[in-house]
Amino acid sequence: MLSTNLKHLETDQETKEALEKNENLMICCGRMGPMCLPVYAIMEELESHYSHVALRDMDFDIPAANFIKRLPECSSFMGLPFTVYFKNGKVVAATSSIQNRAQITEILGRVFGKPS
Amino acid sequence: MEQVVIAGAGPAGLTAAIYTARFKLNPLILGGPVPGGQLLVSDIVENYPGFPEPVSGADLMDRFQKQAEKFGARFQSGAVEQISKRHDIFELDTGREKIETKAVIIATGAEARRLSIPSEKKFYGRGVSGCATCDGAFFRDKEVLVVGGGNTAMQDALFLTRFARAVTIVHRRDYLRAAAAEIDKVKNNQKIRWLIPWGVQEITGDTTVNGAVLKNTETGETRHVMCHGIFVAIGHDPKTEAFKDVVEIDENGFIIVEPGSTKTVTPGVFACGDVIDPVYKQAAVAVGHGCMAAIDVEHYIHRRK
């Protein structure tokens, strides 16, 4: 299990519900490694500002992560974490490997709108 | 008001945390983007004193943190984005909050250098990586390059032989900075080849990496080599940008401290570990610096009373 302050998605059912209940959803799927930790930390920081986006993480090594790994948008990914942005259940952006705050906020603003 | 805030939670910062906690200074540690520091990417650490059996970098750093917590050190996520001084008090801005403190220990370490060629950015996460232990498993039965000639490059190359069909070390100089013990292990591995002195000029591919254009740094000859992955291990740059208003920084970004101490030009601001060390860059050295910084802080705070 990931040790972050984000809400974790741990089962297929939780993932399904997160996709159904949230118009705007960001899932960061990774491990507790040096390429993933900075992304989780940025998400934790942004969570209170982006109240219109549900920010979730997911352990890369659990069966539920197959959902992320098998997305066509992630087929060329070869670096952790896999971060996927969903709008109304559909993928609108996806990134592989470490991202900085500017890169993440650029995508959040572009696909979900900036926080009011 | 904090007595001391330690920015960074690698070997230097955590050692400073252990010592300042034992001095009853109730330290607050801001872990930064990667608590644990660069050692987290080390699959095996064989040269840290006191560990005759290899230990992973993550396990070693976990032990450091537990030891600091045992003495009462407090940990918090976040990194210092800006520092200002008013009278004898420092205000640290993390972007989320402002923390006032009497003293600061800068132990923010260094971050991995990138090749800085346009194609690196394009393929980062799609074949280019800075972390073999994180991404090595994506390259099972594939051919990869490891760029660099230091200990990290040697360790990455060895680690990647667990997955990759072949590993080629590409290094632009005609000598290696790595320790002889690391070089020996690499030389004895049949899966590892060498391309020296060659540098990476361009990375090729469509959606993922399929090769690299290399240039011989002595003859100027170029060649295209096929590969699926490129692991970059060409050194680190100190992370000192946030502190430039209160410390003196040399042309390479390292904080200048008073010789034989961790004191910076600003009383109350101390620096230790890789942010002050352009030469050794070892965990064992950073630990010594962390200890020095804690003692320097204790003297500083004691004199203020």
Side-chain angles (χ1 to χ4, degrees), chain B residues 58-171:
Chain B
D59 284 348
L60 186 59
M61 287 299 90
D62 192 44
R63 286 168 177 258
F64 273 54
Q65 179 161 340
K66 283 185 175 141
Q67 193 173 353
E69 284 171 339
K70 179 181 153 190
F71 294 114
R74 295 165 298 139
F75 287 81
Q76 190 174 308
S77 64
V80 176
E81 292 182 355
Q82 204 168 12
I83 178 171
S84 56
K85 185 183 180 194
R86 190 164 35 85
H87 305 298
D88 281 347
I89 305 300
F90 298 95
E91 187 180 83
L92 308 178
D93 188 346
T94 69
R96 273 188 297 184
E97 62 175 326
K98 290 180 177 167
I99 302 168
E100 286 193 333
T101 180
K102 292 176 184 170
V104 183
I105 294 177
I106 305 169
T108 41
E111 60 193 343
R113 205 173 283 153
R114 294 196 177 185
L115 291 168
S116 299
I117 52 178
S119 47
E120 179 187 41
K121 192 176 178 187
K122 177 182 172 188
F123 291 113
Y124 215 89
R126 289 176 163 82
V128 177
S129 174
C131 180
T133 54
C134 305
D135 300 331
F138 291 112
F139 298 88
R140 199 172 294 278
D141 298 323
K142 296 184 187 298
E143 298 206 12
V144 300
L145 307 183
V146 173
V147 187
N151 286 335
T152 305
M154 301 303 121
Q155 289 163 4
D156 283 358
L158 272 175
F159 180 80
L160 288 165
T161 59
R162 297 184 195 178
F163 308 101
R165 185 168 64 230
V167 178
T168 303
I169 295 173
V170 178
H171 184 47

Side-chain angles (χ1 to χ4, degrees), chain B residues 43 85 126 145 164 172 182 195 203 241 246 252 254:
Chain B
D43 177 46
K85 185 183 180 194
R126 289 176 163 82
L145 307 183
R172 65 193 171 122
E182 299 293 341
L195 275 172
I203 298 164
E241 178 68 19
V246 293
N252 295 313
F254 293 95

